[in-house]
């Protein structure tokens, strides 16, 4: 299959072209503010199944339904709590996915048979225009091949999906750079299933304290059942093994320098960009600038593939603000191979 690259030179025509492909059951790589998604008509079971094939995605990892406005929530969800409407009014369009009870109209292929569905309204003009033109909710996971770092520009989308899908819409680089925050509102208390582009602190300012699922910061124990199916898979991983080093910047830089050799890949804060001579260094932003780190972390992880890198070390921000999402992506890329230098290093 030849994958068409749709530019946004003529936005209305581009949206109509992508929407026509979706309505015909095709797959389209779509820019959002978080990462690029691999979209299909979310009410077309056969089209949704093709997402799993193109990604090599396990059959039990559900997709998020993307809608153009909060008013669509009632079409796909039941028993919507007041908190969900309040959060949608405050944070949509934006990087927040809410897990709610689903209506029958949502195909099993989207939810993987769960009685719940994840819904989000993306904050990106191209994504919104395509969804509106298609007139259907767009089911989309991130547009990477399963297990790989998520795509944050059209080039990344093509790296993984060229020849496998009908089209990619080029909406430029993603402004947020990590996936949406996933909040489960179907239990007794709200629960954070995945940290993402909307900081936990912003949600807690509205809802009070939120339970953070253990899988966000630690690996699943043997036999432990994940709350969200996606949590059980190794994720975001480049080819070479990753080790995450947590602690003060100067300490982690020293540790990494001690363990690095020629051919080591390094993800570091900008302040330490010159500290690793002979290594493949990828600075991802100043240590205090977690928003910039979020924008660059997936590109950095991807950039080592194809380079002669056999091991990767990464500095890691603390678990605050967007740092929680950046740290989570790095730790999952490392399969939770973490060196913690916090105490007495
Ligand atoms: P991705 O954005 O590629 O990571 O894929 C969508 C994410 O949403 C996955 O981590 C899923 O596990 C999660 N997700 C989608 N629907 C549900 C649901 N009903 N319950 C829990 N998690 C969900
Ligand atoms: Mg993904």
């Amino acid at each position: 299959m030849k994958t068409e690259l749709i530019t946004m030179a003529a936005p209305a025509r581009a949206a109509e072209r992508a929407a026509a492909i979706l309505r015909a059951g095709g797959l389209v790589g779509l820019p959002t503010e978080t990462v690029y998604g691999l979209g299909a008509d979310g009410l077309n079971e056969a089209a949704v199944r093709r997402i799993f094939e193109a990604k090599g995605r396990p059959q039990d990892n559900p997709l998020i339904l993307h809608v153009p406005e909060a008013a669509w929530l009632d079409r796909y969800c039941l028993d919507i709590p007041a908190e969900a409407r309040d959060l949608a009014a405050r944070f949509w369009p934006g990087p927040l996915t809410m897990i709610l009870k689903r209506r029958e109209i949502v195909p099993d292929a989207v939810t993987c048979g769960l009685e719940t569905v994840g819904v989000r309204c993306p904050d990106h003009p191209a994504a919104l225009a395509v969804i509106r033109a298609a007139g259907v909710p767009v089911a989309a996971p991130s547009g990477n091949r399963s297990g790989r770092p998520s795509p944050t520009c059209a080039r990344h989308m093509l790296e993984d999906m060229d020849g496998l899908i009908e089209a990619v819409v080029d909406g430029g680089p993603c402004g947020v750079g990590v996936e949406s925050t996933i909040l489960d509102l179907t239990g007794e208390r709200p629960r954070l299933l995945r940290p993402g582009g909307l900081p936990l602190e912003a949600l807690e300012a509205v809802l009070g304290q939120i339970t953070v699922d253990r899988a966000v910061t630690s690996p699943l124990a043997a036999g432990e059942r994940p709350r969200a199916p996606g949590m059980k898979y190794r994720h975001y991983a480049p080819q070479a093994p990753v080790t995450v080093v947590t602690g003060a910047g100067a300490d982690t830089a020293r540790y990494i320098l001690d363990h690095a050799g020629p051919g080591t890949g390094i993800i570091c804060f900008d302040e330490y960009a010159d500290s690793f001579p002979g290594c493949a260094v990828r600075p991802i932003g100043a240590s205090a600038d977690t928003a910039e780190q979020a924008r660059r972390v997936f590109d950095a992880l991807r950039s080592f593939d194809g380079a002669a890198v056999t091991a990767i070390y990464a500095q890691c921000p603390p678990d605050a603000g967007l740092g929680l999402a950046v740290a989570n992506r790095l730790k999952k890329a490392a399969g939770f191979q973490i060196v913690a230098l916090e105490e007495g290093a």
Side-chain angles (χ1 to χ4, degrees):
M1 179 183 311
K2 173 128 181 60
T3 300
E4 178 181 339
L5 186 66
I6 302 174
T7 72
M8 293 305 290
R13 204 169 342 125
E16 198 35 66
R17 174 75 192 128
I21 294 170
L22 290 173
R23 281 194 303 265
L27 302 185
V28 180
L30 277 178
T32 80
E33 83 281 28
T34 58
V35 302
Y36 274 66
L38 179 53
D41 172 352
L43 300 180
N44 178 338
E45 185 114 35
V48 171
R49 294 204 185 286
R50 284 191 54 211
I51 293 178
F52 288 81
E53 279 166 35
K55 280 184 62 95
R57 185 174 177 98
Q59 294 290 333
D60 61 352
N61 191 3
L63 313 179
I64 293 169
L65 270 191
H66 292 74
V67 297
E69 57 185 296
W72 284 35
L73 267 178
D74 294 276
R75 300 184 187 185
Y76 311 114
C77 305
L78 276 174
D79 304 340
I80 302 169
E83 289 104 314
R85 298 197 193 273
D86 187 19
L87 294 174
R90 284 170 196 260
F91 298 119
W92 280 5
L96 171 66
T97 296
M98 295 189 286
I99 307 295
L100 297 165
K101 240 168 102 176
R102 72 148 167 177
R103 282 187 189 273
E104 284 290 307
I105 187 178
V106 180
D108 276 343
V110 172
T111 68
C112 298
L114 296 176
E115 286 311 309
T116 57
V117 61
V119 189
R120 152 172 138 83
C121 176
D123 187 13
H124 194 291
L128 289 171
V130 172
I131 300 168
R132 281 190 200 284
V136 292
V138 171
S142 54
N144 50 286
R145 294 266 312 157
S146 198
R148 301 240 309 137
S150 301
T152 54
C153 63
R155 176 177 51 82
H156 294 166
M157 261 316 302
L158 289 171
E159 275 171 14
D160 284 22
M161 292 295 161
D162 197 12
L164 297 175
I165 64 177
E166 275 77 4
V168 171
V169 176
D170 186 351
C174 299
V176 174
V178 291
E179 297 87 342
S180 59
T181 300
I182 302 184
L183 187 69
D184 184 355
L185 291 169
T186 62
E188 219 141 86
R189 308 250 325 120
R191 173 180 284 267
L192 185 83
L193 299 185
R194 175 174 77 186
L198 183 68
L200 176 61
E201 293 87 340
L203 288 171
E204 290 192 319
V206 179
L207 298 179
Q209 211 200 339
I210 293 170
T211 309
V212 175
D213 202 279
R214 231 177 54 77
V216 169
T217 46
S218 3
L220 287 174
E224 189 179 351
R225 210 169 157 259
R227 290 274 175 161
M231 292 170 164
K232 70 179 189 239
Y233 305 109
R234 181 161 183 252
H235 229 126
Y236 317 122
Q239 279 149 16
V242 180
T243 304
V244 167
V245 189
T246 64
D251 298 336
T252 56
R254 198 174 323 111
Y255 178 94
I256 292 171
L257 185 60
D258 284 348
H259 290 78
T264 302
I266 291 168
I267 292 176
C268 68
F269 302 128
D270 287 356
E271 295 92 317
Y272 304 97
D274 298 327
S275 304
F276 311 101
C279 298
V281 181
R282 309 285 189 263
I284 58 167
S287 55
D289 190 352
T290 50
E292 183 65 10
Q293 293 161 29
R295 275 189 288 276
R296 284 158 65 181
V297 67
F298 283 131
D299 184 62
L301 285 166
R302 270 178 182 264
S303 71
F304 295 117
D305 289 348
V309 164
T310 50
I312 298 165
Y313 285 92
Q315 290 188 300
C316 182
D319 285 340
L322 284 177
L324 183 64
V326 174
N328 168 265
R329 302 309 186 271
L330 287 170
K331 288 172 184 174
K332 292 199 81 164
F336 287 97
Q337 169 75 32
I338 300 167
V339 176
L341 299 181
E342 277 85 356
E343 281 145 356

